[in-house]
Amino acid sequence: YSNSSIQCLTTSGSDSIGGVLFDEKLREYIQTQDSWKEFQNTHPSRRELYNEALLRQCIDAKVQLSSAVKATIVVGDNGFFFEIYRAKFENLIADVVNNAIDIMNEAILKVNLNRHEINQVILVGGSTQVPLVQKMIKEYFGRDIVMHTLDPWCCVAQGACMISHAWEQSDFNESEIKINGKRFALDKDLDG
């Protein structure tokens, strides 16, 4: 993006990467703990309900661990109590973050760029606020190039505004938009 112009050089990604995996990794870890198994065994009729509650608590813990070193998970009117430290959480999700770094590297290599030629990285989604994600990006690029002025929760909407602005500046009809001389079918190339 430069001078109000957007150019997509390449895309790369995976539907199996994201904060949901962080939540699942934490839930799976807790479900291996003897204290969780004992708690489940004392309430067999509520297992499904408690598993859903545990997932919600894992999501909350992930958010807490973005700014705190410890989070507490409580399920079933204080029947189950578990403390998780950021270091352990980061250990649980390291492989997911490494996969995301690999996908980013793949995109850079597709367009024959060197990672040192990248000026900024825009993080998208709340899970990018997890300190390990930002740390690994900094290590990968050898410097802090994360754009901290964009809110990871809002940057997709901001990108949509950039597309809208480009749309206003281009020749278009109801089914396509022209950006940088290239035509995009709105229902296919830009996901509607």
Side-chain angles (χ1 to χ4, degrees):
Y1 175 76
S2 64
N3 300 323
S4 299
S5 176
I6 300 169
Q7 183 179 11
C8 178
L9 300 178
T10 187
T11 60
S12 188
S14 170
D15 291 339
S16 63
I17 298 232
V20 172
L21 288 180
F22 294 175
D23 309 331
E24 284 297 328
K25 291 276 188 177
L26 180 54
R27 180 168 73 165
E28 289 169 7
Y29 170 71
I30 292 171
Q31 288 173 328
T32 66
Q33 303 302 302
D34 289 337
S35 58
W36 177 257
K37 292 175 185 176
E38 290 171 18
F39 173 70
Q40 288 282 67
N41 288 335
T42 59
H43 305 284
S45 65
R46 299 183 134 214
R47 282 187 179 164
E48 189 174 323
L49 177 70
Y50 286 155
N51 279 324
E52 291 172 13
L54 176 60
L55 180 59
R56 287 190 304 275
Q57 287 287 303
C58 289
I59 293 167
D60 291 345
K62 172 187 65 181
V63 172
Q64 291 174 38
L65 292 170
S66 293
S67 58
V69 295
K70 178 176 76 172
T72 303
I73 293 172
V74 179
V75 176
D77 296 325
N78 297 323
F80 177 76
F81 180 87
F82 189 83
E83 291 182 335
I84 184 78
Y85 287 86
R86 182 189 295 166
K88 180 62 180 176
F89 176 68
E90 289 181 345
N91 183 268
L92 293 171
I93 65 168
D95 61 330
V96 177
V97 179
N98 277 323
N99 287 342
I101 297 291
D102 290 344
I103 289 169
M104 184 174 55
N105 186 53
E106 177 185 307
I108 292 169
L109 293 176
K110 273 187 186 178
V111 291
N112 297 319
L113 288 175
N114 181 301
R115 65 181 136 185
H116 301 292
E117 295 176 277
I118 305 299
N119 296 323
Q120 287 186 322
V121 172
I122 298 172
L123 301 179
V124 178
S127 294
T128 60
Q129 295 175 347
V130 171
L132 179 65
V133 172
Q134 296 186 27
K135 176 185 174 210
M136 291 180 77
I137 289 171
K138 185 176 181 177
E139 288 174 358
Y140 173 80
F141 286 102
R143 63 200 193 285
D144 186 9
I145 65 169
V146 170
M147 182 182 280
H148 295 285
T149 57
L150 289 177
D151 181 345
W153 291 100
C154 300
C155 60
V156 171
Q158 289 170 321
C161 290
M162 290 164 45
I163 292 287
S164 176
H165 177 72
W167 188 343
E168 289 175 354
Q169 305 301 315
S170 72
D171 298 324
F172 69 93
N173 61 39
E174 292 180 7
S175 63
E176 65 180 32
I177 181 173
K178 183 178 175 184
I179 302 174
N180 290 345
K182 184 175 179 183
R183 294 195 176 278
F184 294 93
L186 293 178
D187 62 340
K188 295 177 184 173
D189 300 320
L190 298 177
D191 291 330

